[in-house]
Amino acid sequence: MPDILVTAFRPFGGDGINPTERILSSLPDELDGKHIFKLLLPVEFEEAPRMAARSLMRIRPSAVVMLGQAGGRRDITPERVAINIMDASIPDNAGYEPKDVPLASDGPAAYFATLPIKHIVERLRSQGLSAAVSNSAGTYVCNALMYGVLHEIARRGLDIKAGFVHFPFIREQVEGRADRQGVPFIEPEDAIRAARTIVGAL
Ligand code: PCA
């Protein structure tokens, strides 16, 4: 049975929850004939990629699916690319707020996801979920994680597919909040259904 590593993030930026933490805890240990390893990561530039790299070497999965929140987005968005920069507009959960700092001095400018992002989008849409490819994972911790994992795989010449999927807010993060009026959200059940669909699409 193939092993899949799924990662998610803790809450950050003043939110009490991160939808991806919920999604992760809802996933079974086995799905569609795949064994799921779950890893919950801190929203920290240094620690998140380090922990993911450690799990990668221990588990040696056939694929890594990284999940994160992108508040404000309407769609579930598989990311096409991770770039070699950290440029934060808020401190991470360790208090680090890098500006224009490269992630890897020896690394390329960018890595493309090696997961089948278009296929994943099609599968999500066929489930009635709204999804689109994103061409920027941002310059915060999610991008750093995606870049770090793809860099580790490339450096070590590992045969592991990897990619990142950003999720919109879920209902309770938006509803009743004056500062988030009109901000898109999805239902938590749909977020969970989406994660299962993504694993199924691998
Ligand atoms: N989203 C942030 C970091 C953690 C998360 O869930 C990001 O998009 O960088």
Side-chain angles (χ1 to χ4, degrees):
M1 194 182 304
D3 292 335
I4 310 285
L5 175 63
V6 182
T7 75
F9 277 110
R10 292 185 185 282
F12 70 104
D15 268 288
I17 63 164
N18 188 320
T20 66
E21 183 173 4
R22 295 268 179 92
I23 292 168
L24 192 70
S25 63
S26 80
L27 285 175
D29 296 330
E30 256 183 61
L31 186 59
D32 288 332
K34 295 158 189 134
H35 192 209
I36 311 281
F37 288 86
K38 306 178 201 178
L39 178 66
L40 182 63
L41 295 169
V43 183
E44 296 177 20
F45 279 103
E46 306 252 315
E47 196 54 20
R50 198 155 43 209
M51 282 176 66
R54 230 179 283 137
S55 286
L56 212 65
M57 294 314 292
R58 191 171 50 83
I59 299 164
R60 299 288 189 121
S62 54
V64 190
V65 182
M66 297 164 269
L67 310 176
Q69 161 189 309
R73 286 193 189 170
R74 192 173 299 278
D75 297 324
I76 297 162
T77 43
E79 298 292 346
R80 191 194 298 271
V81 63
I83 58 177
N84 190 0
I85 203 77
M86 296 184 275
D87 195 29
S89 51
I90 54 170
D92 72 6
N93 286 358
Y96 181 42
E97 191 177 347
K99 301 284 185 195
D100 299 323
V101 180
L103 279 159
S105 51
D106 60 337
Y111 284 104
F112 288 118
T114 50
L115 293 183
I117 53 172
K118 294 265 169 85
H119 176 61
I120 290 170
V121 166
E122 275 164 30
R123 288 284 285 269
L124 289 169
R125 287 182 177 164
S126 76
Q127 297 294 309
L129 298 159
S130 108
V133 167
S134 161
N135 292 311
S136 173
T139 54
Y140 194 53
V141 178
C142 291
N143 173 73
L145 174 66
M146 181 178 170
Y147 186 96
V149 164
L150 287 163
H151 188 50
E152 189 71 10
I153 290 169
R155 251 179 2 110
R156 295 184 183 272
L158 302 173
D159 183 19
I160 301 175
K161 304 280 182 227
F164 197 100
V165 183
H166 264 124
F167 281 74
F169 285 133
I170 54 173
R171 178 183 287 276
E172 69 198 77
Q173 293 178 281
V174 173
E175 217 167 55
R177 277 190 57 159
D179 58 335
R180 289 193 179 154
Q181 268 185 32
V183 173
F185 61 83
I186 61 175
E187 302 298 336
E189 309 81 65
D190 286 341
I192 289 165
R193 204 153 57 82
R196 287 171 165 260
T197 303
I198 292 164
V199 171
L202 301 180

